[in-house]
């Protein structure tokens, strides 16, 4: 899912600013020393155990335990707990930000600036700041911008 905005910069050039959700973390130089992770085996084990516990809970409830009544608030808490981590994972995915222009009518060179931000709100704020910087200063970069020029 990409969000695209077309912006007219202060110098008259037209820029396309877009953000795109990334499903994998971008490789950085800092990851070199820490590339040994637990892997997918641990995640598969935890998800399997959670699934087994859910199946046991539902089987116990549907087998007709006549004297046991599970209140609705227990089901709501279980639903919130089960939905919290997947929703947090999706909201914290990295987003790639790209600002590019084909150049100007005056013969200025094409430019492409790329960077990434983690999180939905941070990506929205960064895109707004980049657009504001283009409209006022004719460049997507500012003091703390994650955008870097790409040749």
């Amino acid at each position: 899912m990409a969000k695209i905005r077309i912006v007219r910069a202060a110098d008259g050039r037209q820029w396309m600013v877009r953000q795109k959700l990334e499903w994998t973390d971008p490789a950085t130089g800092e990851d070199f020393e820490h590339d040994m992770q637990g892997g997918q085996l641990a995640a598969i084990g935890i998800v399997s155990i959670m699934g087994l516990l859910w199946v046991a809970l539902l089987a116990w409830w549907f087998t007709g335990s006549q004297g046991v009544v599970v209140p609705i608030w227990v089901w709501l808490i279980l639903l919130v707990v089960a939905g919290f981590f997947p929703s947090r994972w999706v909201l914290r995915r990295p987003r790639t930000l790209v600002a590019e222009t084909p150049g100007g009518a005056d013969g200025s060179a094409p430019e492409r600036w790329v960077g990434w931000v983690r999180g939905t709100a941070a990506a929205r704020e960064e895109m707004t700041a980049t657009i504001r910087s283009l409209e006022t200063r004719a460049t997507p970069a500012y003091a703390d911008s994650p955008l870097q020029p790409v040749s």
Side-chain angles (χ1 to χ4, degrees):
M1 177 167 87
K3 294 182 182 180
I4 300 173
R5 291 272 313 265
I6 304 297
V7 179
R8 172 111 17 223
D11 62 355
R13 292 188 294 174
Q14 194 170 16
W15 287 76
M16 180 173 62
V17 181
R18 66 179 186 266
Q19 67 170 309
K20 180 183 170 214
L21 178 70
E22 297 294 334
W23 292 104
T24 59
D25 288 337
T28 62
E30 298 170 0
D31 294 338
F32 181 72
E33 295 290 329
H34 307 286
D35 60 353
M36 298 298 291
Q37 296 179 3
Q40 297 178 347
L41 189 59
I44 291 171
I46 290 172
V47 168
S48 299
I49 290 171
M50 278 186 58
L52 184 64
L53 290 173
W54 272 100
V55 167
L57 179 65
L58 292 175
W60 171 69
W61 189 58
F62 284 122
T63 54
S65 301
Q66 302 299 330
V68 179
V69 176
V70 180
I72 190 72
W73 59 269
V74 171
W75 292 110
L76 290 176
I77 289 174
L78 289 174
L79 185 65
V80 167
V81 168
F84 173 75
F85 290 107
S87 61
R88 181 181 183 272
W89 181 81
V90 168
L91 291 175
R92 294 286 300 156
R93 295 308 314 150
R95 267 101 173 140
T96 301
L97 299 173
V98 178
E100 58 188 346
T101 181
D106 60 350
S108 57
E111 292 183 47
R112 179 178 168 91
W113 294 65
V114 179
W116 69 275
V117 178
R118 182 170 295 280
T120 304
R124 187 179 312 120
E125 290 172 14
E126 197 61 48
M127 191 167 176
T128 302
T130 300
I131 290 169
R132 190 174 329 122
S133 177
L134 281 168
E135 291 172 342
T136 57
R137 298 181 3 204
T139 180
Y142 58 93
D144 295 330
S145 175
L147 294 174
Q148 299 296 319
V150 176
S151 54

